[in-house]
Amino acid sequence: MTDFIHRFEPATSAGSPPLLLLHGTGGDENDLLGLGGMISPGSALLSPRGRVLEHGMPRFFRRLAEGVFDEEDVRRRALELGGFVADARKQYGIAVPIAVGFSNGANIAAALLLLKPEVLAGAILLRAMVPLSDPPKAELGGKPVLLLSGQADPIVPASNSAKLAALLSEAGARVDHKVLPAGHQLSQADVTLTRNWIGSVEAKAA
């Protein structure tokens, strides 16, 4: 299996979609397990640790400055992560997962949607930015995407998250973009909206 340190928790409910949990800068494979359990009780949880270190803090790709990404590294790391997910699906016998990414994890999830859309069944992007200035033409074929932005987010400008929503919509995703009265950190509203959204995706799939 592609060499990602990770945690896997098997499903306890057959009907719940598997979740790929992608932490923010400085997080690790344990960070979002609690969130995963809250938003989709019973789902299998696959949670890798980012393989890039920035001042000792794990991330999923390199950046040149705050909000300025090393796009060559974004592409390479997204393909690596896609390979890890494919291997993990075989090893653990899980379906195509829905990504749940926060901050840097949301950005790599958005890159995965654009570069290897077959790896994900959909995505929950919490405080995401446009990951690539010149993305490939992706065909997302109605994949569901929830994008939750913070109105007072000092890291992600409102124009950037709106551009990401437009980019994913143009690629064929069914994007639900909400701007919350929050900053960059997650709020209770994020948890509630995410849980309800997964419930509606499950209901449609059923």
Side-chain angles (χ1 to χ4, degrees):
M1 183 184 288
T2 310
D3 186 21
F4 276 81
I5 295 167
H6 67 281
R7 290 273 306 269
F8 176 73
E9 297 200 349
T12 55
S13 165
S16 302
L19 302 183
L20 172 67
L21 304 173
L22 302 167
H23 63 76
T25 300
D28 64 20
E29 66 278 11
N30 302 302
D31 253 33
L32 297 183
L33 292 173
L35 178 67
M38 277 192 283
I39 62 178
S40 188
S43 281
L45 304 176
L46 177 63
S47 184
R49 182 192 301 181
R51 297 173 70 192
V52 171
L53 285 179
E54 182 183 274
H55 307 303
M57 297 186 295
R59 282 175 55 84
F60 285 98
F61 57 83
R62 288 177 55 210
R63 60 182 167 183
L64 307 175
E66 185 78 74
V68 184
F69 303 153
D70 178 339
E71 296 197 11
E72 189 180 325
D73 198 56
V74 173
R75 290 171 185 270
R76 185 162 68 89
R77 301 291 179 177
L79 296 180
E80 277 182 2
L81 183 59
F84 163 74
V85 174
D87 290 348
R89 284 189 57 209
K90 287 185 199 139
Q91 178 171 340
Y92 297 121
I94 57 173
V96 181
I98 292 174
V100 181
F102 167 62
S103 193
N104 179 245
N107 299 336
I108 198 72
L112 256 186
L113 281 172
L114 295 166
L115 294 164
K116 282 190 78 71
E118 70 279 7
V119 169
L120 299 177
I124 295 160
L125 306 176
L126 306 167
R127 312 299 187 268
M129 296 178 72
V130 175
L132 297 164
S133 56
D134 184 22
K137 288 284 178 219
E139 180 41 70
L140 294 179
K143 285 186 197 289
V145 175
L146 176 65
L147 176 58
L148 297 182
S149 306
Q151 196 171 19
D153 192 330
I155 296 172
V156 184
S159 58
N160 192 292
S161 50
K163 185 177 173 187
L164 177 59
L167 180 67
L168 295 172
S169 295
E170 284 158 18
R174 283 189 288 123
V175 179
D176 186 359
H177 182 204
K178 289 186 165 54
V179 180
L180 307 180
H184 195 67
Q185 293 308 310
L186 298 182
S187 65
Q188 184 56 45
D190 289 283
V191 176
T192 304
L193 286 166
T194 303
R195 187 169 53 223
N196 292 344
W197 182 86
I198 287 184
S200 72
V201 167
E202 276 187 70
K204 285 192 180 85

